[in-house]
Amino acid sequence: MENNSFDVNVELNIETLQSGELTHTKISEPGKFTQIGNSIYLKFNESLENNDKASILVKITEKGEIHVKRVAKSTNLASLLYFTHQEHNNGHLETEYGVLPLDTYTKDSKVEIVSNPLSGKINIDYDLIYDNNVVGNYKFRLIFSA
């Protein structure tokens, strides 16, 4: 299969419930959709304070697994989380002090992609787990379109 790359607009909404506190994060940025073989990649930036940015890469594998990598050089933080529908996965957070193992439990995940016109949705509901304790509940809602 040939490699295809397209410019897309990305809307990402993340709802976080940690320690009883609900927060919302909204990201609206231009991005790049690329298909290499049977894997799909979405790459975009998250604008941070002081004109800094974090790069985000979302990979969807042939088996429907979702990998989310976020790198913020200005804060020396990088995370790599894996999501498989109704399964536990191991990931990690890299800090200037070392690597923290972070696990996820994917309560629900759904990927819908339409090729003409190119658009899609990626929904993930998951628990973030550190040291066998749930530290937060997340709802990840990504919509993109060419």
Side-chain angles (χ1 to χ4, degrees), residues 102-115:
L102 287 176
D103 299 328
T104 57
Y105 174 69
T106 309
K107 297 185 230 177
D108 193 22
S109 64
K110 188 174 188 180
V111 175
E112 298 174 15
I113 296 175
V114 177
S115 56

Side-chain angles (χ1 to χ4, degrees), residues 118-129:
L118 178 63
S119 64
K121 291 180 192 173
I122 302 167
N123 291 347
I124 311 168
D125 293 352
Y126 67 98
D127 291 336
L128 190 63
I129 302 161

Side-chain angles (χ1 to χ4, degrees), residues 1 4 6 8-10 32-43 58-67 109-123 140 142-146:
M1 186 175 274
N4 296 308
F6 301 95
V8 292
N9 291 315
V10 177
K32 185 73 80 177
F33 172 98
T34 305
Q35 183 166 354
I36 301 174
N38 291 321
S39 293
I40 291 168
Y41 300 85
L42 267 171
K43 186 171 183 158
V58 179
K59 176 183 179 182
I60 303 156
T61 69
E62 183 177 352
K63 296 177 182 175
E65 295 171 348
I66 304 164
H67 307 172
S109 64
K110 188 174 188 180
V111 175
E112 298 174 15
I113 296 175
V114 177
S115 56
N116 197 5
L118 178 63
S119 64
K121 291 180 192 173
I122 302 167
N123 291 347
F140 177 102
L142 188 148
I143 300 170
F144 68 91
S145 59

Side-chain angles (χ1 to χ4, degrees), residues 41-104:
Y41 300 85
L42 267 171
K43 186 171 183 158
F44 57 97
N45 290 322
E46 173 187 358
S47 295
L48 304 173
E49 294 177 6
N50 302 322
N51 290 327
D52 285 330
K53 63 184 180 191
S55 66
I56 299 175
L57 178 66
V58 179
K59 176 183 179 182
I60 303 156
T61 69
E62 183 177 352
K63 296 177 182 175
E65 295 171 348
I66 304 164
H67 307 172
V68 178
K69 182 176 186 177
R70 182 181 181 275
V71 178
K73 290 184 177 154
S74 63
T75 57
N76 293 318
L77 291 175
S79 61
L80 182 55
L81 300 176
Y82 300 94
F83 305 97
T84 308
H85 187 71
Q86 295 188 333
E87 288 188 22
H88 286 270
N89 284 292
N90 303 108
H92 63 269
L93 173 68
E94 296 174 31
T95 73
E96 58 188 296
Y97 304 107
V99 178
L100 252 63
L102 287 176
D103 299 328
T104 57

